[in-house]
Amino acid sequence: MPVTQEIIDMAGQWSKELERWRRETYNPAREKFKERKERFLTPSGIEVDPVYASRDSKGAGELPGEFPYTRGIQPTLYRARLWTMRQYSGYASAEETNRRFRYLLDQGQTGLSVAFDLPTQMGLDSDAPLAAGEVGKVGVAIDSIHDMRILLADLPLDKVSVSMTINATAAILLALYVAVAEERGIPAKELSGTIQNDILKEYIARGTYIFPPRPSIRLIVDTFAFGNEHVPRWNTISISGYHIREAGATAVQELAFTFGDAIAYLEAAREAGLPLDRITKRVSFFFGVMNDLFEEVGKFRAARRIWSKILTDRFGLEAGATRLKFHTQTGGSTLTAQQPQVNISRVTIQALAAVLGGTQSLHTNSYDEALSLPTEESARIALRTQQVIASESGLGNVVDPLGGSYYVESLTDRIEEETMALLDRIEEEGGMLAAIESGFVQREIQQSAYDYQKGIEAGEIEVVGVNRYRTEETAPPAGLVVGGDTEETQKARLKALRAGRDSGRYEAAMTELEKAASGVENIVPYIKEAVLAEATVGEICDRLRTLFGKHEEIVTLL
């Protein structure tokens, strides 16, 4: 029988099929390690095989920019535009924070992110008894429109996006921001930025809540509607997995509980009759990124796929309206006070994971944050870490460079499967709000945090400088010293404001706000009128407390 080209082609095909079968069904490395007792786990408890092959992954099959966006929401990603380098900053007075913002912009930062002090987050003025000792300590103190004017002075609000990490008082801070921008002649429609405005995770993990969950969700939905009409380029919510992760959750729990919160918000928006196809365009997410680089990349890839499926399957949106936008921050809880300079390495690994995972925006923590608020030098090093990755690593040249890795594809699939299973468990609890009110979510996170800490103390989880490679402690680097007169300065400003404002305008605005909050009208326009009448953050919250009540913490036991 003569050897024809057809026979040669058939033989070549058989050879390829045999090689494929050998790779997919027989893995010598896996066989070699089968009898070993060591188990290797990701921080989420996913068992890691020694070697992966094509049979270990379903493979998404799509290209970047294609539904369900596993490989990225844009076809060219960083080739077209780098991620936003948005370093989080805020401390002491509005004047000091404004100086730090202008310094960061001069250093090449491309977006601003505001940290507020605890009294501002909790709806307390700086002269409230409960604010004593906390004014300006972990963020900037903002009591009134006067402080907001100082905070934003000389900043190009029509050119730079501003993110504000604020939740219970998010509507008030957004109203203050819009009011100040309009005073400067910048229309609200030209403003871009984000308010966190994610109250459910406060009940779960962080604790800066004021009102009970249900009126709080009403306030969030009102903010959606206000933004949709008046500030269309503003993200009126950034649903945060970061704080859930920082509280001790695994990567899977971070996704499941974050998307559970998102479902609750969108269901409330749908019930209020808001157009979800427009609202979801201004919904963003905020995830943490930890040390296990491959698990974190798999988490971000799975997150895009899961969100797309939630929006299409549950809310009936078209595929093109289901892109997941997210900001990432490196893990604050991973920073150590021991050998703090080693934190630069941790932050670099975490930043690499965020970029490899396709983040749209990134904050890199400063190495000294386990000891104090960051100094200018440490903040600059954190920013330079992003800039080196952007300018020197080549990672921005290709979209989803780890796509096709058998290991990463396998992790992506596993994280998706386990996240969906946990979302089903939340549904069995009656939905996210019921799961929070019953303490189910809190208990799940507490158990994970407890197990992780036990692992560190037993030496099963290695932390360099803490339980491995310890050295004799030296004096820690000098931390940032926050001005001690901030509290007294803020108190004096408040006293002058109350003495000098138009009391008639103030009382009229507060009365109208109270009427709106008692009924069904959108509250946010009335909040804006109140801040223009020089009402303070604390005064507005006090009026709402009388109507909505205060949330009492849910105590859960393991």
Side-chain angles (χ1 to χ4, degrees):
M1 178 179 175
V3 178
T4 65
Q5 186 60 45
E6 184 179 358
I7 292 173
I8 292 172
D9 291 344
M10 288 176 63
Q13 187 61 36
W14 289 338
S15 177
K16 288 178 182 177
E17 288 297 315
L18 182 63
E19 175 61 19
R20 184 185 63 79
W21 174 85
R22 186 191 68 77
R23 288 197 317 266
E24 295 187 5
T25 62
Y26 177 69
N27 187 326
R30 185 176 288 137
E31 297 299 319
K32 178 180 177 182
F33 283 93
K34 230 175 203 179
E35 296 182 2
R36 290 179 57 173
K37 294 181 180 179
E38 296 97 326
R39 295 179 69 222
F40 294 82
L41 304 174
T42 73
S44 291
I46 296 172
E47 187 157 5
V48 180
D49 289 339
V51 175
Y52 285 78
S54 56
R55 73 171 187 175
D56 297 306
S57 168
K58 294 182 298 188
E62 82 274 1
L63 293 171
E66 292 182 356
F67 179 87
Y69 308 108
T70 309
R71 303 199 64 196
I73 63 173
Q74 297 153 336
T76 55
L77 197 61
Y78 306 135
R79 289 170 68 105
R81 177 186 175 186
L82 286 174
W83 63 92
T84 301
M85 300 180 193
R86 190 185 301 280
Q87 294 298 103
Y88 184 51
S89 184
Y91 61 93
S93 66
E95 290 93 340
E96 289 184 72
T97 298
N98 177 268
R99 281 193 290 271
R100 176 62 68 88
F101 283 159
R102 285 188 280 117
Y103 169 79
L104 289 169
L105 290 173
D106 289 343
Q107 296 300 312
Q109 183 168 306
T110 54
L112 297 176
S113 185
V114 188
F116 296 96
D117 70 358
L118 285 176
T120 304
Q121 295 182 50
M122 301 293 291
L124 299 170
D125 287 333
S126 295
D127 57 359
L130 286 175
E134 291 292 343
V135 177
K137 293 299 184 184
V138 297
V140 61
I142 299 294
D143 291 316
S144 72
I145 195 168
H146 297 287
D147 295 326
M148 186 63 83
R149 287 171 184 145
I150 296 167
L151 178 71
L152 302 178
D154 300 320
L155 298 179
L157 303 184
D158 53 342
K159 295 181 176 64
V160 65
S161 66
V162 177
S163 173
M164 297 191 283
T165 301
I166 197 73
N167 296 282
T169 56
I172 305 172
L173 271 298
L174 176 61
L176 285 165
Y177 189 97
V178 171
V180 169
E182 288 179 339
E183 283 180 345
R184 289 172 47 182
I186 303 170
K189 293 184 184 299
E190 293 183 12
L191 300 174
S192 63
T194 302
I195 45 171
Q196 196 163 101
N197 201 25
D198 173 14
I199 200 64
L200 290 181
K201 67 96 174 48
E202 297 297 324
Y203 306 119
I204 295 169
R206 193 161 172 266
T208 63
Y209 45 71
I210 301 174
F211 317 116
R214 296 178 193 276
S216 293
I217 289 179
R218 175 207 168 173
L219 194 52
I220 288 169
V221 172
D222 283 354
T223 310
F224 288 172
F226 177 83
N228 184 54
E229 183 177 354
H230 300 286
V231 203
R233 296 175 58 196
W234 198 277
N235 296 325
T236 45
I237 194 166
S238 175
I239 306 168
S240 175
Y242 178 83
H243 302 100
I244 291 171
R245 191 68 180 278
E246 289 285 285
T250 65
V252 168
Q253 289 172 331
E254 178 186 5
L255 291 191
F257 297 147
T258 303
F259 288 136
D261 288 345
I263 289 167
Y265 295 134
L266 291 190
E267 286 180 340
R270 181 166 60 183
E271 187 176 337
L274 298 183
L276 291 191
D277 58 334
R278 293 179 62 182
I279 297 300
T280 53
K281 289 178 181 176
R282 307 319 308 176
V283 170
S284 66
F285 288 83
F286 173 24
F287 293 118
V289 58
M290 300 300 192
N291 289 330
D292 192 303
L293 185 145
F294 291 106
E295 181 176 68
E296 294 302 309
V297 172
K299 179 187 77 177
F300 295 133
R301 298 173 91 251
R304 284 191 289 269
R305 190 190 295 172
I306 293 165
W307 183 237
S308 290
K309 292 179 179 179
I310 288 171
L311 289 184
T312 53
D313 297 349
R314 185 164 189 146
F315 293 100
L317 297 188
E318 297 294 326
T322 65
R323 292 175 175 86
L324 174 80
K325 300 178 297 182
F326 66 94
H327 169 73
T328 313
Q329 181 171 337
T330 57
S333 62
T334 69
L335 303 179
T336 63
Q338 301 92 330
Q339 302 180 38
Q341 289 84 356
V342 177
N343 291 327
I344 298 173
S345 300
R346 294 186 177 98
V347 169
T348 302
I349 290 168
Q350 293 164 8
L352 285 169
V355 173
L356 288 166
T359 191
Q360 281 73 61
S361 172
L362 177 61
H363 166 94
T364 36
N365 288 330
S366 302
Y367 73 84
D368 54 357
E369 288 189 48
L371 300 165
S372 70
L373 292 176
T375 62
E376 280 194 0
E377 179 197 35
S378 65
R380 184 175 63 250
I381 291 171
L383 177 59
R384 293 287 184 260
T385 300
Q386 294 199 51
Q387 291 167 334
V388 168
I389 293 171
S391 302
E392 301 181 26
S393 72
L395 289 187
N397 296 343
V398 63
V399 184
D400 190 30
L402 293 184
S405 157
Y406 299 139
Y407 181 37
V408 170
E409 295 290 353
S410 175
L411 281 173
T412 302
D413 295 341
R414 283 290 304 275
I415 291 169
E416 179 191 13
E417 291 163 8
E418 295 192 15
T419 299
M420 296 306 294
L422 188 48
L423 280 169
D424 289 341
R425 179 74 179 86
I426 291 167
E427 288 299 305
E428 292 172 6
E429 290 287 319
M432 195 62 183
L433 196 53
I436 292 169
E437 290 173 335
S438 71
F440 167 77
V441 175
Q442 295 91 317
R443 285 191 297 274
E444 290 288 300
I445 296 172
Q446 288 165 6
Q447 187 64 58
S448 295
Y450 178 63
D451 292 342
Y452 184 77
Q453 186 59 36
K454 280 201 306 181
I456 292 174
E457 293 178 7
E460 297 165 359
I461 297 171
E462 296 181 359
V463 182
V464 173
V466 176
N467 62 7
R468 290 295 304 274
Y469 311 113
R470 298 179 65 172
T471 59
E472 186 175 339
E473 291 297 319
T474 58
L480 178 71
V481 178
V482 176
D485 60 348
T486 302
E487 187 169 331
E488 293 308 312
T489 299
Q490 289 300 114
K491 287 180 177 180
R493 279 182 181 164
L494 283 166
K495 185 176 181 181
L497 176 145
R498 292 185 179 117
R501 68 190 173 193
D502 181 335
S503 59
R505 183 183 180 188
Y506 165 80
E507 288 297 342
M510 294 297 276
T511 299
E512 290 301 308
L513 169 63
E514 197 167 337
K515 285 180 184 177
S518 301
V520 295
E521 284 190 84
N522 190 320
I523 305 171
V524 182
Y526 295 93
I527 291 175
K528 184 183 172 189
E529 288 303 312
V531 300
L532 285 167
E534 299 183 292
T536 67
V537 172
E539 289 166 345
I540 292 170
C541 288
D542 284 344
R543 290 289 177 109
L544 296 178
R545 282 184 185 95
T546 62
L547 298 170
F548 296 158
K550 292 191 295 184
H551 177 67
E552 299 297 330
E553 183 179 4
I554 299 165
V555 179
T556 60
L557 300 174
L558 291 177

